[in-house]
Amino acid sequence: MRTERDVNPASSALASRFAAVRALTADLVAPLSDADATIQSMDDASPAKWHLAHTTWFFETFVLRDHVPGYQVFDERWPFLFNSYYEAEGQRHARPRRGMLSRPSLDEILAYREAVDSALLAALPDLPASVRDLVALGCHHEEQHQELLLTDILHHFSINPLQSAIWPGDPKVPVAMPGPTGWIEGRTGVIEIGHDLVSTGPGKTRIVSSVSTVSTGFAFDCEGPRHTELLHPHALADRTVTNGEWAAFIADGGYRDPRHWLSDGWAWVQAERIAAPLYWEQGDGGWTRFGLDGRRPVDPAAPVTHVSFFEADAYASWAGARLPTEFEWEAAASGHDPNGGNQLDAAGAVEPRPSAGGPAFFGDVWEWTGSAYRPYPGFRPAEGAVGEYNGKFMSGQFVLRGGSCATPRGHVRASYRNFFYPHQRWQFTGVRLAKDL
């Protein structure tokens, strides 16, 4: 019989983290009906039921099935339904048709989560360190899906003419508009960038880094290896662009003037008839936006969000500036607390908030950079199916930094690289300007 003295402290801490992450996901879907959790509003979004099951499939497949002798898969039919993009795991249900899965029911998927949670927590004390690394990866993976859950739910509800609130919002308190943009002069010369992931041999990298004097704790493989980059004289804005500033861009014909747009961006604006950030509508009383707390007036002092890379780049051109590179951003953010700012702590209506003063690099909105999502020098994906997690997507996407109001607190760090295609904007994405000096 295992005694209290036999419990590995690392396993105990990981068990607590696993339980907390899983509980938050359950809290996020608590307001949803089975129908709410089933619908899929666009190809980029997934039903809440699918997020619940996919994150569970990850733990069941890569931890329980592969490393716990005697474990029996909950339902042999479900891996086909809830695999996302892992080619090594075989065929899977087509992503655009996830909303057709009226069964299994929400209750059945919640029972699946409970069964996998129970099995994993029972097995965790006996798992070797390398497998515990996979559990840690799974927790960070689920935190990514928590943000996707919120943004996908927001999109699902936005296309319903009822425009229902999922959670009640806080009373609006008038906030003074921030002053003119200030500029922070950036570092120049050769600097080190990225996370110091641990090499475990030729072509191998552990998903979790060791403690070091440079960077500590967990990191995804795409955040490393740590390497040098050359920065030229530049400055970054001391805050992100506000809704009020974006409204001025609209009023000045920003969406109608091709001079500010990349060719692909202008074609997108014309084809999709884009005239404002996603979820904005103009009425007799001015601009409103739809959020998890329903439709409300746009707060001019809050950071603009739900804008694409194309829009961010056009705004920067209109403002006589540019987007920062991801290296400029990381160099500036490395001295700030990644756990600070407006990030997700509990289920509820989330939205960007007006600046409380002083430069903040984390929370509120993901910040588009002008950098393509490509591998760092010396990048090697992890071996096996988990090696498909990031590297295979390094084509045609742009890097975002800093986290958002929907990012679980503690999930991001200065080296964290998010990435999306240039037209996508259903995430909490915003803009920080940069300029050459």
Side-chain angles (χ1 to χ4, degrees):
M1 176 180 294
R2 183 178 298 275
T3 67
E4 200 67 33
R5 290 182 306 171
D6 296 326
V7 176
N8 184 322
S11 294
S12 179
L14 183 57
S16 296
R17 171 159 166 70
F18 172 81
V21 169
R22 300 287 280 175
L24 177 55
T25 306
D27 289 344
L28 292 176
V29 300
L32 305 182
S33 68
D34 192 293
D36 292 334
T38 299
I39 61 172
Q40 180 179 20
S41 54
M42 63 172 176
D43 290 356
D44 286 336
S46 295
K49 284 198 313 189
W50 188 89
H51 285 295
L52 290 167
H54 167 70
T55 51
T56 304
W57 168 86
F58 187 99
F59 287 112
E60 181 181 52
T61 299
F62 298 125
V63 178
L64 296 176
R65 185 201 67 183
D66 290 353
H67 299 286
V68 177
Y71 176 80
Q72 296 295 312
V73 172
F74 185 84
D75 190 314
E76 294 285 353
R77 302 169 298 173
W78 288 11
F80 175 81
L81 301 180
F82 303 126
N83 178 9
S84 54
Y85 50 72
Y86 295 90
E87 298 287 349
E89 289 298 319
Q91 296 297 309
R92 56 208 170 276
H93 187 67
R95 177 175 181 171
R97 297 181 62 80
R98 289 171 183 169
M100 303 299 290
L101 298 176
S102 59
R103 299 185 182 183
S105 69
L106 178 58
D107 285 344
E108 288 175 305
I109 288 174
L110 292 174
Y112 173 41
R113 287 177 65 87
E114 290 179 4
V116 168
D117 288 359
S118 178
L120 191 145
L121 288 170
L124 190 58
D126 297 316
L127 295 178
S130 60
V131 182
R132 292 200 301 271
D133 285 353
L134 291 173
V135 176
L137 172 63
C139 289
H140 286 265
H141 167 254
E142 182 144 348
E143 287 179 329
Q144 291 178 317
H145 279 271
Q146 288 168 349
E147 181 157 9
L148 289 168
L149 256 174
L150 289 171
T151 53
D152 290 357
I153 290 169
L154 173 59
H155 192 270
H156 298 161
F157 276 73
S158 75
I159 64 173
N160 187 317
L162 296 178
Q163 299 273 279
S164 301
I166 301 93
W167 288 280
D170 295 330
K172 297 302 178 187
V173 177
V175 176
M177 288 291 292
T181 300
W183 295 95
I184 305 168
E185 187 170 345
R187 295 167 58 189
T188 59
V190 176
I191 66 167
E192 288 194 335
I193 288 293
H195 202 286
D196 59 329
L197 299 164
V198 175
S199 174
T200 59
K204 301 180 181 180
T205 302
R206 284 185 63 194
I207 297 299
V208 180
S209 82
S210 68
V211 174
S212 76
T213 58
V214 179
S215 51
T216 61
F218 178 91
F220 289 111
D221 57 1
C222 65
E223 296 175 52
R226 194 163 177 83
H227 65 286
T228 58
E229 293 286 345
L230 176 63
L231 298 186
H232 298 282
H234 68 280
L236 270 63
D238 64 351
R239 59 172 174 80
T240 55
V241 174
T242 66
N243 288 321
E245 290 167 330
W246 201 273
F249 169 65
I250 297 173
D252 195 45
Y255 283 92
R256 302 189 304 272
D257 188 345
R259 292 178 302 163
H260 301 306
W261 294 82
L262 297 169
S263 177
D264 287 345
W266 184 244
W268 171 75
V269 164
Q270 299 295 102
E272 302 298 328
R273 299 181 179 180
I274 306 298
L278 186 63
Y279 307 132
W280 281 34
E281 290 183 4
Q282 191 170 34
D284 293 339
W287 287 105
T288 64
R289 59 85 179 139
F290 182 75
L292 292 167
D293 56 353
R295 183 159 291 283
R296 295 194 176 202
V298 165
D299 183 346
V304 70
T305 189
H306 301 300
V307 294
S308 68
F309 170 85
F310 289 142
E311 291 167 283
D313 187 80
Y315 180 91
S317 173
W318 174 81
R322 61 173 174 81
L323 298 179
T325 70
E326 65 168 317
F327 309 125
E328 291 169 344
W329 190 97
E330 184 174 328
S334 60
H336 294 260
D337 180 9
N339 294 322
N342 177 23
Q343 301 182 50
L344 179 67
D345 294 302
V350 297
E351 63 175 320
R353 299 173 186 161
S355 173
F361 283 86
F362 295 94
D364 279 317
V365 293
W366 287 100
E367 301 175 19
W368 284 108
T369 74
S371 297
Y373 179 54
R374 292 291 296 151
Y376 288 163
F379 169 79
R380 296 290 185 275
E383 291 187 341
V386 294
E388 299 184 51
Y389 197 86
N390 287 308
K392 65 193 275 184
F393 299 109
M394 292 176 172
S395 172
Q397 306 198 61
F398 283 82
V399 173
L400 302 98
R401 296 294 195 117
S404 80
C405 54
T407 304
R409 194 177 304 280
H411 181 70
V412 294
R413 56 209 148 262
S415 62
Y416 194 105
R417 306 173 80 198
N418 200 355
F419 50 93
F420 284 100
Y421 290 102
H423 68 281
Q424 292 175 318
R425 59 183 191 155
W426 90 109
Q427 298 300 304
F428 287 95
T429 49
V431 186
R432 182 186 300 271
L433 298 176
K435 64 181 181 179
D436 298 318
L437 295 179

